């Protein structure tokens, strides 16, 4: 097991604020709080450090150096901090954790829950909450050491509540001692008694409807669908369900979508009728008629498509935002969104 | 369907071992299974093969292409009326039916539709039960002795015909296995029927069981008839325990309502246990999910709510059938119930991206697990059911039969991490 520890200039013993521009360094063995981690049972093979200002001002370069050293050492797990309430140090810990997480390297960090490092980590690290100052070191170190040891060994890490780390925005499966039926009865009885509880926190994202289109006769209108409409042969392999991608296809000067050219790969409904007339998925023929009649201005020259089957709201939200950016950049005024 | 409560006696016989032999029978807790003697699938022209294989907990086996799970049941007072409507007999409410049930064993029909050329690639999600390894505890049938019924459709048979034949064959096999108990003394006997009077001060709580019926491979059956035209209605929960509600809807396996779930629905059992103690069990509503249009969904939700109000329910528990579309049916039902001031909770599975649908009134939810979570890779010694079974690859929870079932029958839940 190879353990790498990241600290800032102060905890590496390089100096205080006057050394905040210190370039990245690597040091053998434990330094500063690393010694406490060793005492808690976590051997530290390598310490890497960077000045807080240096990291903030030269993030990409510092990351490249630090990640290269960690790769070279073959780190099985990386510990960042504890950074306590320090904003710059916490941010550096969070960013490093995020990048390591993207590479699949387990990371444990420790900081205050409101540290900018929590947001910067994007859920990639197990973050142990601490007090704002080093007084919390004694409490945090054993928790960090325990988590890091188990992550390096590939053994089970339990839920945030059981382990005491900050929720990473993930939901993991655990076996309950009670069946779902028993838990449902307990919850409904509690609710009847005025105690409303839920095993799932409600999503908070609510979308306000946009203002009505002023004058549609000059509007550029785009066609967007979740009906899984793609060119015959599904050349880009749009998933038939659980899609997490959207695609776009040129419309050009087509008057309509011909059945020999398009089909639906949607796994959520009987596509027989739709495949006889793909315009019922992407209503190009009707939109062209509206243009012809002067009711709308123009049709955007490509349509956007995905399959809306078993698609979680969060994935739909992301795809909608991505498509929205494309449409806005193209100057689209309005969208006809067909659902199935 | 009316909702008169019938009495039913369920006599359970524990099984801890199943062996293949020349005769089918039972020696205490050991069940002997003779595939030739049972001649399962005989007389089914839509099946080219129907073979039986026994797999046990601890076997390094992955069962693949699993369609359903069935608890071996026989109606002891009238074996012909077992699984009424499917195996030929009819239900008789006037009688005092007795079910003999094997506990610890299950019939698992499997069929490789894709190998049979009846569905295209990716049309039918992988459906697994692991008897060992990290996925064993994901499916409840990883811990039962399983009599796997491997079916191969006859060349030229339609999907609908092959499916009907498989369902008949698996229920027939379940009946034949349970029939080994007909002259034996059970380990325990449970009586279900009209609940006794309970303190009127206790809150009345009803359950809404969501099912779906959309066509071949996606149908649910009552007395052998599909429920494609189902409108919400109050049903006698005893009928479920009697095997009158059966599954032929092979949606995502993790959130699939199996026949075994219906035969022993944990939610009804739990409500009956709580009846007179902490609540009054007001009744069970069978409701359609996966409805096609917004209007149908709204009507379904309103109709369920009207029935719940007629039952005098102060509280309601909504189950959900499968993933996706049906979550909207559940959420609209929650909204409709709450609008009538019926305190409601619902059982739903989660995904890595959260819930598929949600309304603000759904403030009291039971998580039946995150269906997207990957179960670590495992390589079984043997695949039973065809295909490569994705051996050696991490597999999403949703592919394990019954892992995240939203009827309340499972132990899994998802927590923040």
């Amino acid at each position: 097991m190879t353990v790498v520890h990241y600290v800032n200039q102060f905890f590496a013993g390089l100096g205080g604020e006057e050394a905040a521009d210190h370039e990245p360094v690597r040091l053998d063995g434990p330094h500063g709080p690393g010694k406490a981690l060793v005492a808690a049972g976590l051997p530290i093979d390598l310490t890497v450090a960077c000045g807080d200002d240096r990291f903030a001002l030269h993030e990409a370069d510092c990351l490249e150096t630090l990640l290269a050293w960690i790769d070279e050492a073959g780190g099985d797990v990386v510990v960042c901090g504890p950074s306590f309430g320090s904003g710059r140090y916490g941010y550096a810990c969070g960013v490093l954790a995020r990048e390591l997480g993207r590479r699949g390297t387990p990371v444990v960090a420790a900081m205050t829950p409101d540290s900018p490092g929590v947001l910067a980590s994007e859920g990639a690290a197990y973050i142990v909450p601490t007090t704002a100052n080093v007084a919390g070191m004694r409490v945090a170190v054993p928790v960090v050491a325990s988590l890091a040891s188990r992550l390096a060994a590939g053994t089970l890490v339990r839920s945030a509540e059981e382990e005491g780390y900050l929720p990473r925005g993930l939901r993991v499966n655990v076996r309950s001692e009670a069946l779902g039926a028993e838990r449902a009865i307990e919850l409904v009885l509690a609710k009847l008694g005025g105690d409303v509880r839920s095993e799932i926190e409600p999503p908070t994202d609510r979308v306000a409807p946009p203002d009505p289109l002023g004058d549609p006769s000059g509007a550029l209108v785009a066609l967007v669908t979740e009906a899984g409409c793609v060119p015959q042969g599904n050349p880009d392999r749009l998933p038939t369900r659980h899609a997490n991608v959207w695609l776009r296809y040129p419309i050009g000067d087509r008057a309509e979508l011909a059945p020999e050219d398009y089909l639906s790969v949607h796994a959520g409904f009987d596509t027989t009728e739709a495949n006889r007339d793909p315009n019922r998925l992407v209503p190009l023929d009707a939109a062209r008629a509206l243009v012809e009649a002067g009711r709308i201005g123009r049709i955007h020259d490509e349509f956007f498509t995905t399959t809306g089957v078993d698609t979680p709201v969060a994935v739909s939200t992301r795809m909608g935002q991505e498509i929205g950016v494309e449409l806005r950049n193209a100057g689209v005024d309005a969208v006809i969104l067909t659902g199935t | 369907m009316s909702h008169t409560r019938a009495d039913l006696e369920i006599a359970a016989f524990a099984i801890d071992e199943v062996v293949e032999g020349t005769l089918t029978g039972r020696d205490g807790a050991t069940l002997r299974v003779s595939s030739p003697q049972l001649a399962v699938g005989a007389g089914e022209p839509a099946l080219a093969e129907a073979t039986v294989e026994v797999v046990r907990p601890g076997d390094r086996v992955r069962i693949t292409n699993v369609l359903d799970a069935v608890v071996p049941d026989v109606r002891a007072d009238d074996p012909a009326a077992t699984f009424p409507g499917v195996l030929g007999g009819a239900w008789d409410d006037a009688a005092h039916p007795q079910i003999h049930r094997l506990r610890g064993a299950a019939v698992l029909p499997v069929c490789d539709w894709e190998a049979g050329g009846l569905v295209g690639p990716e049309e039918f999600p992988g459906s697994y039960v692991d008897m060992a390894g990290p996925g064993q505890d994901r499916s409840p049938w990883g811990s039962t002795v399983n009599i796997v019924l491997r079916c191969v459709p006859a060349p030229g048979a339609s999907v609908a015909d092959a499916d009907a034949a498989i369902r008949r064959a698996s229920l027939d096999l379940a009946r034949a296995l349970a029939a080994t108990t007909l002259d034996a003394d059970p380990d325990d006997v449970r009586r279900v029927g009209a609940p006794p009077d309970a303190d009127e001060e206790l809150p009345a709580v009803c359950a809404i069981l969501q099912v779906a019926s959309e066509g071949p491979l996606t149908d649910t059956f009552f007395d052998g008839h599909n429920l494609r035209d189902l409108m919400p209605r109050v049903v006698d929960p005893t009928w479920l325990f009697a095997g009158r509600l059966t599954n032929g809807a092979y949606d995502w396996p993790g959130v699939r309502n199996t026949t075994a779930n219906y035969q022993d629905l944990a939610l009804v059992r739990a409500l009956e246990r709580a009846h007179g103690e902490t609540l009054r069990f007001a009744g069970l509503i069978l409701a359609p999910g996966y409805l096609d249009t917004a209007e149908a969904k709204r009507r379904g939700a309103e109709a369920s709510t009207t029935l719940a109000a007629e039952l005098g329910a102060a509280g309601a528990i909504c189950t959900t059938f499968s993933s996706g579309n049906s979550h909207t049916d559940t959420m609209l039902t929650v909204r409709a119930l709450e609008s009538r001031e019926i305190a409601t909770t619902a059982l739903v599975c989660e995904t890595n991206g959260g819930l598929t649908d949600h309304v603000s009134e759904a403030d009291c939810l039971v998580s039946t697990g995150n269906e997207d979570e990957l179960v670590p890779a495992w390589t079984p010694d043997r695949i039973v059911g065809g295909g490569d079974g994705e051996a050696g690859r991490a597999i999403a929870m949703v592919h394990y039969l019954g892992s995240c079932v939203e009827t309340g029958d499972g132990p899994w839940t998802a927590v923040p991490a």
Side-chain angles (χ1 to χ4, degrees):
Chain A
M1 175 170 81
T2 301
V3 182
V4 181
H5 187 201
Y6 174 77
V7 291
N8 72 351
Q9 79 283 352
F10 176 76
F11 287 104
L14 303 171
E17 198 58 33
E18 76 284 1
D21 193 39
H22 204 291
E23 62 190 14
V25 294
R26 56 177 163 178
L27 308 163
D28 287 336
H31 290 262
K35 291 174 182 168
L37 290 167
V38 172
L42 183 73
I44 303 292
D45 300 285
L46 175 70
T47 300
V48 293
C50 184
D52 288 336
D53 285 349
R54 170 69 64 152
F55 190 94
L57 296 171
H58 306 280
E59 181 177 311
D61 291 343
C62 293
L63 267 180
E64 186 179 348
T65 303
L66 293 167
L67 291 169
W69 288 340
I70 293 167
D71 280 349
E72 196 179 307
D76 295 303
V77 67
V78 175
V79 174
C80 298
S83 55
F84 304 104
S86 165
R88 289 170 301 165
Y89 183 17
Y91 175 76
C93 288
V95 170
L96 182 59
R98 182 190 71 212
E99 295 306 313
L100 288 163
R102 287 176 178 170
R103 295 160 171 239
T105 304
V107 189
V108 182
M111 60 190 76
T112 54
D114 60 353
S115 166
V118 175
L119 206 57
S121 74
E122 295 185 2
Y126 292 89
I127 298 180
V128 176
T130 68
T131 56
N133 56 45
V134 292
M137 182 79 82
R138 206 168 42 173
V139 175
V141 160
V143 183
V144 171
S146 169
L147 278 171
S149 300
R150 282 178 289 146
L151 285 169
T155 54
L156 181 70
V157 171
R158 298 185 301 275
S159 69
E161 188 179 12
E162 290 173 284
E163 298 276 9
Y165 58 84
L166 298 175
R168 296 172 296 160
L170 306 177
R171 303 277 293 178
V172 298
N173 289 320
V174 297
R175 281 181 76 96
S176 168
E177 288 182 8
L179 292 179
E182 294 155 350
R183 305 199 314 271
I185 291 173
E186 183 189 335
L187 284 184
V188 81
L189 289 176
K191 188 173 186 178
L192 282 162
D195 175 17
V196 181
R197 286 181 270 135
S198 183
E199 294 181 356
I200 306 172
E201 290 303 315
T204 54
D205 186 28
R206 292 278 181 266
V207 180
D211 292 333
L213 198 56
D215 176 14
S217 65
L220 176 60
V221 177
L223 303 176
V224 181
T225 188
E226 60 75 49
C229 185
V230 293
Q232 285 285 351
N234 192 13
D236 299 301
R237 307 289 296 162
L238 181 66
T240 60
R241 57 173 78 216
H242 260 306
N244 59 7
V245 295
W246 53 269
L247 300 170
R248 68 172 114 200
Y249 290 104
I251 292 174
D253 56 1
R254 290 173 190 273
E256 59 180 22
L257 300 187
E260 57 270 26
D261 295 334
Y262 295 92
L263 84 165
S264 170
V265 295
H266 198 287
F269 68 98
D270 183 344
T271 57
T272 308
E273 291 302 321
N275 286 339
R276 288 197 181 114
D277 183 1
N279 295 282
R280 302 289 64 77
L281 306 172
V282 178
L284 181 59
D285 57 351
R288 292 280 189 227
L290 289 172
V291 173
E292 188 72 19
R295 304 272 302 277
I296 57 176
R298 289 180 296 132
I299 307 298
H300 184 50
D301 61 4
E302 51 189 9
F303 74 89
F304 294 74
T305 183
T306 187
T307 43
V309 190
D310 294 324
T311 311
V313 173
V315 176
S316 300
T317 302
R318 193 251 305 155
M319 290 197 286
Q321 288 168 340
E322 290 170 354
I323 293 171
V325 168
E326 298 293 325
L327 295 173
R328 195 170 285 281
N329 289 342
V332 169
D333 300 303
V335 171
I336 297 172
L337 174 63
T338 49
T340 59
Chain B
M1 288 186 273
S2 71
H3 57 274
T4 309
R5 294 299 303 264
D7 290 326
L8 178 71
E9 190 174 280
I10 301 172
F13 299 77
I15 295 296
D16 58 25
E17 176 61 298
V18 180
V19 295
E20 288 166 87
T22 53
L23 290 171
T24 298
R26 197 179 65 93
D27 300 313
T30 299
L31 180 69
R32 282 181 280 106
V33 177
S34 166
S35 187
Q37 186 199 20
L38 290 168
V40 182
E44 294 284 2
L47 294 183
E49 284 181 41
T51 53
V52 169
E53 184 169 350
V54 178
V55 292
R56 304 164 182 82
D59 291 350
R60 291 184 56 83
V61 167
R62 172 166 293 163
I63 309 170
T64 59
N65 295 302
V66 189
L67 302 177
D68 196 15
V70 184
V71 179
D73 269 358
V74 64
R75 184 164 160 178
D77 59 306
D78 181 8
T82 309
F83 299 115
V86 183
L87 298 183
W91 190 256
D92 177 6
D93 266 332
H96 292 286
Q98 186 186 49
I99 297 287
H100 278 203
R101 172 168 293 176
L102 300 186
R103 194 165 57 204
V107 171
L108 303 185
V110 306
C111 179
D112 189 344
W113 298 111
E114 190 178 336
L118 292 172
V119 301
E122 299 178 25
E123 263 189 77
F124 214 72
S127 175
Y128 308 122
V129 173
D130 285 356
M131 304 310 294
Q136 185 187 2
D137 67 356
R138 299 313 199 272
S139 170
W141 293 281
S143 57
T144 55
V145 187
N146 296 318
I147 300 94
V148 178
L149 176 62
R150 186 172 181 183
C151 299
V152 179
S158 69
V159 169
D161 287 347
D163 174 50
I166 291 167
R167 286 185 287 103
R168 277 192 297 270
S170 59
L171 297 178
D172 192 25
L173 175 60
R175 175 175 65 177
L177 297 175
T180 59
T181 66
L182 282 177
D183 298 320
D185 294 326
D187 294 308
D188 63 69
V189 176
R190 182 164 65 101
R191 287 180 179 78
V192 292
D197 290 339
D199 184 348
E200 289 291 322
E201 295 296 312
L202 292 171
V205 176
C206 72
I208 299 177
L209 176 64
Q210 188 186 85
V211 296
S213 213
E214 301 178 281
L217 307 188
T218 53
D219 273 325
T220 305
F221 300 89
F222 188 85
D223 281 355
H225 299 290
N226 70 60
L227 293 172
R228 291 174 207 172
D229 297 323
L230 175 69
M231 278 298 287
R233 60 189 56 202
V234 177
V235 296
D236 183 342
T238 304
W239 293 344
L240 272 61
F241 294 132
R244 300 180 71 180
L245 190 66
T246 55
N247 176 48
Y250 313 126
D251 285 74
W252 289 93
V255 285
R256 186 179 297 172
N257 294 4
T258 66
T259 298
N261 293 128
Y262 297 140
Q263 288 172 277
D264 199 29
L265 201 67
L267 183 55
V268 169
R269 280 190 284 115
L271 285 165
E272 289 187 340
R273 276 198 306 274
H275 178 79
E277 299 292 328
T278 55
L279 55 80
R280 283 181 292 130
F281 181 20
L284 176 67
I285 297 166
L286 192 64
Y290 256 92
L291 295 169
D292 286 338
T293 65
E295 175 57 19
K297 288 177 183 301
R298 190 194 60 76
R299 264 191 284 120
E302 293 293 339
S304 290
T305 301
T306 299
L307 292 175
E310 286 173 5
L311 290 171
I317 297 171
C318 298
T319 74
T320 306
F321 173 97
S322 193
S323 283
N325 181 320
S326 55
H327 283 222
T328 299
D329 296 287
T330 300
M331 290 297 159
L332 292 179
T333 305
V334 171
R335 170 172 284 171
L337 288 160
E338 290 284 344
S339 75
R340 298 281 290 268
E341 297 186 342
I342 297 173
T344 306
T345 188
L347 296 118
V348 287
C349 72
E350 303 177 62
T351 71
N352 274 345
L355 293 170
T356 303
D357 199 358
H358 185 260
V359 295
S360 56
E361 293 86 347
D363 56 3
C364 182
L365 296 172
V366 170
S367 165
T368 63
N370 176 357
E371 65 174 26
D372 285 337
E373 185 181 87
L374 292 176
V375 178
W378 182 62
T379 302
D381 290 345
R382 204 156 52 91
I383 300 283
V384 173
D388 68 3
E390 300 184 68
R393 299 205 288 275
I395 294 172
M397 183 91 159
V398 75
H399 291 287
Y400 285 93
L401 186 71
S403 57
C404 297
V405 67
E406 299 150 294
T407 55
D409 288 85
W412 289 95
T413 188
V415 296

